[in-house]
Amino acid sequence: MSESIAPAVPSTPPTPPVSLQALLAREDLALRQIAGPAGPGTVIHWAHTSEMADPYPYLLGGELLLTAGVHIPEAAGCDGGAPGRADSTPGDYFDGYVARIVAAGGAALGFGVAPVHDTVPRALVAACERHGLPLLEVPPQTTFSGVARAVWQLMAQARLAELRRVTEAQQSLASAAARPDPVPSVLRQLAQRLTGHAALYGPDGTEIASAGREPAAGVRQALTGLAEVVRPGGAGSHPAGTPTPTSATDALGGTHLAAYALGSGGGFVLGVAAPRREPGDHTIASVASVLLSLLTGEHHSGTGAARSSAFVRLLLGARPQEVAPLLGEGSWVVVHARPEAQLPDAVAASALGAALGSPLVDLAHDVVRVLVPGGREPEPQTGWTLGVSAAVAPRGWPEADTQAARALARARATRTPLVRHGARPGLEDLVPRADAEAHARTLLAPLAGRPALIDTLRNWIALHGSWDRTAVALDVHRNTVRQRIARCAALLDADLDDPDVRMELWFALRHG
């Protein structure tokens, strides 16, 4: 059984491997398997060329190793004895060579019959048969680079198909969550997408809902036991002081089992039993666990009602600090997040909120804003770029929102997963706030009513005058940045290359 203490958050599924059969089916390569087991069970993760006599130290596992046999001693290649050993046979050299490839986890061996050898050595064929390593004959017209390119092409096709499958599953799960019976609907859709069985366990460990195929004998009991491993306070055994994992996997016969602790904090657990474990299955199950976390959190606690009450009071004119106690006591931080690959959707935004430990999520066009209790320390999230404000009281929420936006812009410009707003005291604390704001208004008066110029100037100074990084932060062309900075210099009648001028402007921009 394997466990994980990482939160079950949807992420991009890994690139699926390529089946050896798919590679052999490429007519343009004309590859031919001449030894070793044939069947759909052999998969390739990448192709690697090596003429080392012992490639073991250079293999990671899962490779299709390509060789032209340059490393083969002349005597061994001619089916004679190996040099220096009168009692050796060709089988001695090839047996050791193939054994080392198998020990390193190599998936298959491709042997080019040109330009060094006219045929594949018989002793190599026998060694591959003996060790169960698939051996492919690469014809003279097929280059090793062509084989490697075909592997990558097949991997790209497989990845695209897997991403499409995951995207369709996410959409169907989100639609199921919007039905009048959301929990059973999500379980049914999950079981259908994984061609298996899905179950929801309550805080006391009992199964309260399930869907899909009836599991084989013993599987239901094993899944219930696995759910205890991830349920806070469950019967699963953990060393003293070890945190309870949020997910765990196991297998029983040909059935793959997985359990996910739901983030609602109420002790609910999602269990899944499926006949296979594809690369995207974990992502699909994670999406379902996020949705079920939101559903169980809303229906089985008072947090949903408290948030609703807070929002209504805000709409009716209450101030943020007046409704904040309904959401929890203490300080807060604002997080601005932007996905690296595509625009965020409702499921991705909810998943991010669950990972950061807050249901207070705002989905905009290209940015997700999350209001997080100050006791939680936001950490980098896979696939996201984050900007985090300083911890503030509710009356400081608007300022924290600005801080998070600036931190996100800096994170994107510097290609950093997470940037936090610096909250340490500085020289500006020596100047009364009212005086600083009055000075800022006077100094920046020529730019009044030109928010694009002010925003560009702020980012340009913060990024040390880098045209490219400022362009990335603002999503504009670098020439646009140059034109705006030149316009700022003209309106302010200032030399922006002077560090004293930049320092004074930076002070003003922080209070303007």
Side-chain angles (χ1 to χ4, degrees), residues 322-508:
E322 294 174 352
V323 303
L326 293 170
L327 305 176
E329 299 293 339
S331 61
W332 300 79
V333 296
V334 177
V335 177
H336 279 216
R338 183 161 175 169
E340 298 172 357
Q342 57 191 14
L343 293 178
D345 54 25
V347 173
S350 298
L352 177 65
L356 296 176
S358 175
L360 303 174
V361 178
D362 172 40
L363 173 60
H365 173 64
D366 58 353
V367 173
V368 176
R369 300 189 299 174
V370 186
L371 189 60
V372 180
R376 301 178 183 272
E377 189 73 13
E379 297 295 338
Q381 301 295 318
T382 303
W384 293 86
T385 302
L386 274 61
V388 181
S389 76
V392 298
R395 64 176 177 273
W397 283 348
E399 181 180 354
D401 186 47
T402 301
Q403 292 175 356
R406 293 174 181 173
L408 175 61
R410 185 171 182 82
R412 295 188 64 242
T414 57
R415 293 178 174 83
T416 304
L418 184 149
V419 168
R420 304 181 195 276
H421 174 77
R424 66 171 184 253
L427 292 176
E428 64 183 46
D429 298 320
L430 301 177
V431 181
R433 187 178 184 86
D435 293 345
E437 291 175 349
H439 174 73
R441 285 194 297 271
T442 300
L443 185 61
L444 299 176
L447 303 183
R450 296 178 171 88
L453 294 183
I454 293 176
D455 198 28
T456 302
L457 182 61
R458 177 185 292 111
N459 280 276
W460 183 73
I461 295 177
L463 296 171
H464 311 293
S466 171
W467 308 110
D468 292 330
R469 291 162 64 188
T470 304
V472 171
L474 297 175
D475 275 335
V476 298
H477 194 276
R478 66 194 308 270
N479 290 341
T480 302
V481 175
R482 288 182 177 275
Q483 293 168 3
R484 290 179 181 177
I485 294 301
R487 182 61 175 159
C488 288
L491 290 173
L492 295 170
D493 190 21
D495 179 8
L496 299 186
D497 291 328
D498 187 329
D500 290 333
V501 172
R502 289 197 193 186
M503 179 181 69
E504 190 171 3
L505 284 172
W506 179 246
F507 180 87

Side-chain angles (χ1 to χ4, degrees), residues 166-183 185-187 189-190 193 284 286-292 294-295 345-350:
V166 170
T167 299
E168 292 173 353
Q170 288 177 338
Q171 294 172 346
S172 64
L173 287 168
S175 298
R179 291 177 57 86
D181 55 342
V183 171
S185 296
V186 169
L187 290 175
Q189 192 60 232
L190 176 62
R193 292 290 171 173
I284 295 172
S286 296
V287 171
S289 71
V290 168
L291 292 171
L292 291 171
L294 298 174
L295 294 171
D345 54 25
V347 173
S350 298

Side-chain angles (χ1 to χ4, degrees), residues 280-303:
D281 289 347
H282 174 71
T283 302
I284 295 172
S286 296
V287 171
S289 71
V290 168
L291 292 171
L292 291 171
S293 295
L294 298 174
L295 294 171
T296 55
E298 291 288 343
H299 292 293
H300 297 277
S301 71
T303 56

Side-chain angles (χ1 to χ4, degrees), residues 42-59:
T42 302
V43 295
I44 299 167
H45 291 267
W46 44 71
H48 177 64
T49 301
S50 174
E51 296 299 340
M52 302 293 293
D54 180 13
Y56 181 95
Y58 310 99
L59 300 181

